[in-house]
Amino acid sequence: ALRRAAAPAAAPAAAAPSGELTFLEYAKTPSPKFKSTEPLAARISSVKRAIGPDAPGEICHIVIDGRIPYVEGQSIGVLPPGTDAKTGKPYQQRLYSIASSRYGDDGAGTSVSLCVRRAVFADPETGAEDPAKKGVCSNYLCDSKPGDDVAITGAVGKGMLLPDDDGADIIMVGTGTGVAPFRGFVRRLFEERTPAAARYAGRAWLFFGGPTTDSILYPGLWAAAKQAKPDQFKMTLAISREQQTAAGERMYVQHRITEHADEIFERLANGAHLYLCGLKGMQPGIEAALKEAAESRNLVFATWIKGLKKEKRYHVEVY
């Protein structure tokens, strides 16, 4: 049974750009309110291409209207309509990292945003797309129009939340749509007027990987964060088709990790949190770079990374 979203109330006074946002400051992470057997009947507010014309593929920034309690770093489930031909049952939910702060893109607290890559499968020999193998949910979302109904669940996940310590540094490593939770982090800590932003005394460092300059997601946000708090935000890019390593290879995020290992390890030794988010294929290369850097500092990598995990300072979300 769908639970219809209440008609959005007028935005609270606190949602004005000049006002401080305080009405969704939770004492603890909210419990999931909607499940797949009883999802929230929400609506698509907007679907916009999030990358430039010279970027390969298609990535959409999708805003969904519906009151669903969440905090930065969590995910929601989307239930695409239709029946799975393999099982004869309705499609299972697909989880997506939330790309907005808890207040939503407009500050009213009545929406949630996603960053979705349209998944298509092309024949490696002919290059022709096979519609039978396209991603069901990503295509459903990227094809959706404002006003369309969408069933959502959650919010879920506690592994990618911001640190409790307002003074802790955060190091964010994201490729492609893996930047979604980091958009929520940076909006909360650098763009919005929130108690969290006022208290935040740490430094945020974003490593972003993509194939072309046009593939950089949300460039305006990162520039605004740097302008707002220049001593607290920095960004390091790995643009694989445009940048090269000293050895003449394509530049990937793991190469930037190696380049900046001294500062990364210094920050981690002083309590920083490390976040990885993106496709599963990114994790081995990044962990290999961390392993090499740890061993060159006479650290046993397995012990070192286990220590970070035990202290809940190593956060990974890959898919």
Side-chain angles (χ1 to χ4, degrees), residues 147-195:
D148 286 357
D149 290 338
V150 57
I152 61 176
T153 67
V156 297
K158 294 186 178 179
M160 288 287 288
L161 306 187
L162 280 166
D164 293 330
D165 178 2
D166 296 317
D169 288 347
I170 57 175
I171 300 167
M172 305 164 282
V173 184
T175 55
T177 59
V179 82
F182 308 142
R183 179 180 186 267
F185 290 0
V186 172
R187 280 181 61 84
R188 178 158 177 79
L189 299 178
F190 290 85
E191 186 172 58
E192 296 174 340
R193 284 190 60 196
T194 60

Side-chain angles (χ1 to χ4, degrees), residues 76-231:
I76 61 165
V78 176
L79 288 158
T83 302
D84 188 334
K86 293 178 184 173
T87 65
K89 297 178 180 177
Y91 285 116
Q92 296 285 313
Q93 67 175 357
R94 276 30 173 211
L95 288 177
Y96 289 93
S97 301
I98 294 171
S100 48
S101 81
R102 66 191 69 186
Y103 292 103
D105 288 357
D106 63 357
T110 57
S111 67
V112 59
S113 299
L114 305 177
C115 180
V116 179
R117 175 180 290 280
R118 185 190 291 275
V120 294
F121 178 83
D123 184 288
E125 291 184 11
T126 66
E129 287 185 11
D130 183 348
K133 295 182 180 177
K134 68 181 184 180
V136 171
C137 200
S138 67
N139 281 272
Y140 161 63
L141 287 170
C142 290
D143 288 337
S144 62
K145 302 286 188 289
D148 286 357
D149 290 338
V150 57
I152 61 176
T153 67
V156 297
K158 294 186 178 179
M160 288 287 288
L161 306 187
L162 280 166
D164 293 330
D165 178 2
D166 296 317
D169 288 347
I170 57 175
I171 300 167
M172 305 164 282
V173 184
T175 55
T177 59
V179 82
F182 308 142
R183 179 180 186 267
F185 290 0
V186 172
R187 280 181 61 84
R188 178 158 177 79
L189 299 178
F190 290 85
E191 186 172 58
E192 296 174 340
R193 284 190 60 196
T194 60
R199 291 192 307 264
Y200 185 59
R203 296 169 296 176
W205 188 358
L206 174 63
F207 288 83
F208 178 79
T212 65
T213 298
D214 262 12
S215 300
I216 300 170
L217 288 151
Y218 313 117
L221 175 63
W222 319 129
K226 181 68 178 174
Q227 187 173 3
K229 299 179 182 180
D231 297 332

